[in-house]
Amino acid sequence: QVDLVESGGGSVQAGGSLRISCAVSGDRGEDLCVGWFRQVPGEMREGVAAIYQESGTTYTAGDLKGRFTISQDNAKSIVYLQMKSLTPDDTAMYTCAADPGLGLLGCGTTAKFRYWGQGTQVTVSL
């Protein structure tokens, strides 16, 4: 069992930046893959970024590269999503997910994750 708790969401003006966090605990193992997803009501969930914790290898959705950066702390207990140059289109519920069985090649924004957090809302206004 892996437990995930997101924090740091809120309201920000267009053009601004925000960093949200995902606290990872439980039976993490050594090769956890952690991903960030976002979803707007009525739309499909979208993979944003992922990190393979053992090596620190990161994956970011193509259209978000350069604006969104995933990282982790030294203890690998917190995974961050740094977002900059935000627009109203980035408004969504952001949720982190994790899975210990994906491996390096299976980790990524299109992977199927077993464990999910509750999400944190990010709202970008003009």
Side-chain angles (χ1 to χ4, degrees), residues 38-56:
R38 66 183 185 181
Q39 189 169 22
V40 175
E43 296 185 11
M44 294 284 288
R45 185 168 57 204
E46 175 187 14
V48 174
I51 185 167
Y52 185 66
Q53 289 201 300
E54 182 180 38
S55 63

Side-chain angles (χ1 to χ4, degrees), residues 45-115:
R45 185 168 57 204
E46 175 187 14
V48 174
I51 185 167
Y52 185 66
Q53 289 201 300
E54 182 180 38
S55 63
T57 304
T58 62
Y59 315 79
T60 306
D63 57 343
L64 299 177
K65 288 180 180 177
R67 294 198 305 122
F68 286 29
T69 304
I70 190 170
S71 63
Q72 61 186 355
D73 70 338
N74 289 337
K76 301 177 184 176
S77 61
I78 303 176
V79 173
Y80 302 103
L81 183 67
Q82 177 70 51
M83 304 176 286
K84 66 179 183 180
S85 302
L86 288 163
T87 75
D89 287 341
D90 295 314
T91 295
M93 178 68 75
Y94 285 73
T95 306
C96 66
D99 198 297
L102 295 174
L104 177 62
L105 296 181
C107 186
T109 60
T110 60
K112 294 188 183 300
F113 292 83
R114 278 182 281 176
Y115 303 102

Side-chain angles (χ1 to χ4, degrees), residues 2-32:
V2 178
D3 298 311
L4 306 162
V5 179
E6 302 93 338
S7 62
S11 297
V12 62
Q13 287 193 319
S17 299
L18 193 67
R19 188 179 76 168
I20 55 178
S21 303
C22 173
V24 183
S25 62
D27 187 15
R28 294 182 290 162
E30 295 296 323
D31 60 350
L32 198 66

